[in-house]
Amino acid sequence: MENLHKRILEEGQALSENVLKVDSFLNHQVDADLMYEMGTYFKNYFENHKVTKIFTIESSGIAPTVMTAMQMKLPMVTLKKQGSKILSGDVYQTTVHSYTKDMNYELTLSKKYISKEDNILIIDDFLANGEAALGAARLVEEAGAKVAGIGIVIEKSFQPGPKMLKDKGYDVYSLARIAKLGKGSIEFVK
Ligand code: G4P
C-alpha cells in the first residue's frame, strides 16, 4: 500500500532493530483517511474469501478493522485482553505471551459472538512473533469456526510471526512488509 509505505518512511522511527514507532498515524494519533484506505485494501484482498465476521485485538487493531468491516458490510468483534482467567462458561479464553512486552494476557471472546458457521477474518496492526494472531485463531477454532485469513497493517518480515502463520496454513496478507530496521533506516521487502 503505497500511502502506508510513504507514511512509514516519513514518520516512522526505528527505535531499535526490532521496534518501529508509528504513533503519529496508527498507535496513538490515528489518521482516519489512511485507516479507510487500509480498509479498501483488506476488502479488495478478502472479498471472495466468504468472510462472515471480522475479529481484531484491542486496541490498535480497532481503527483499521472498523474501516474494513464498514466497507465489507460485516460485523466486527474486538477480542479483549484480560489480566486473569474468567471462570465462567460464557467465554472462550486462551493465554497469549507477548515477547515484545514480556507479559501474558488472556485473550477473551464471548460465546455469543461466534458460531460454528462463521468464517472469520482476523485483522491486527503489527505482526511480530505472531502470538496474538495465533491466539485469535485458536479461539476461532475452539468455537468450531474457520479462519478465513489474517490481515496485518505492518508485518515485520524478519521476525518469526509471518513464516510461522503461513506454515500453519493461514492466508496472511500484510499492507506493509518490513525487511530490516536499523538506527534511522527502514527497508521494505522488495
Ligand atoms: P505478536 O502478537 O506478533 O507476537 O507481537 P507481540 O506480542 O510481540 O506484540 C506486543 C504488542 O507490541 C502489540 O501491541 C503489538 O502490536 C506491538 N508491537 C510489536 N512490534 C511492534 C513494533 O515494532 N512497533 C509498534 N509500534 N508496536 C509493536 P499491543 O500490546 O496489542 O498494544 P495495542 O494494540 O494496544 O497498541
Side-chain angles (χ1 to χ4, degrees), residues 67-186:
M67 296 302 191
T68 309
M70 191 169 84
Q71 294 178 65
M72 292 182 81
K73 299 191 187 335
L74 289 171
M76 159 186 165
V77 176
T78 305
L79 302 178
K80 304 203 177 196
K81 293 175 188 160
Q82 310 277 356
S84 55
K85 274 221 168 359
I86 296 175
L87 299 171
S88 110
D90 302 334
V91 297
Y92 295 111
Q93 271 194 325
T94 189
T95 306
V96 173
H97 178 70
S98 165
Y99 288 96
T100 306
K101 298 196 170 166
D102 193 22
M103 57 171 283
N104 286 346
Y105 57 88
E106 298 297 323
L107 200 62
T108 305
L109 164 67
S110 166
K111 290 186 177 174
K112 277 193 285 196
Y113 303 124
I114 191 162
S115 75
K116 285 190 175 57
E117 288 72 42
D118 274 320
N119 194 31
I120 307 286
L121 168 59
I122 297 165
I123 292 182
D124 207 0
D125 58 336
F126 267 94
L127 175 56
N129 289 284
E131 294 299 321
L134 190 63
R138 270 200 305 277
L139 292 182
V140 169
E141 287 159 3
E142 197 188 328
K146 288 199 177 67
V147 176
I150 299 175
I152 297 292
V153 176
I154 302 175
E155 165 188 312
K156 290 185 290 183
S157 308
F158 57 90
Q159 291 190 334
K163 181 174 184 309
M164 182 271 287
L165 294 175
K166 284 172 197 162
D167 285 351
K168 287 183 183 294
Y170 296 113
D171 185 353
V172 180
Y173 172 64
S174 305
L175 303 183
R177 295 166 68 216
I178 294 182
K180 196 165 181 247
L181 290 174
K183 275 234 150 59
S185 79
I186 300 166

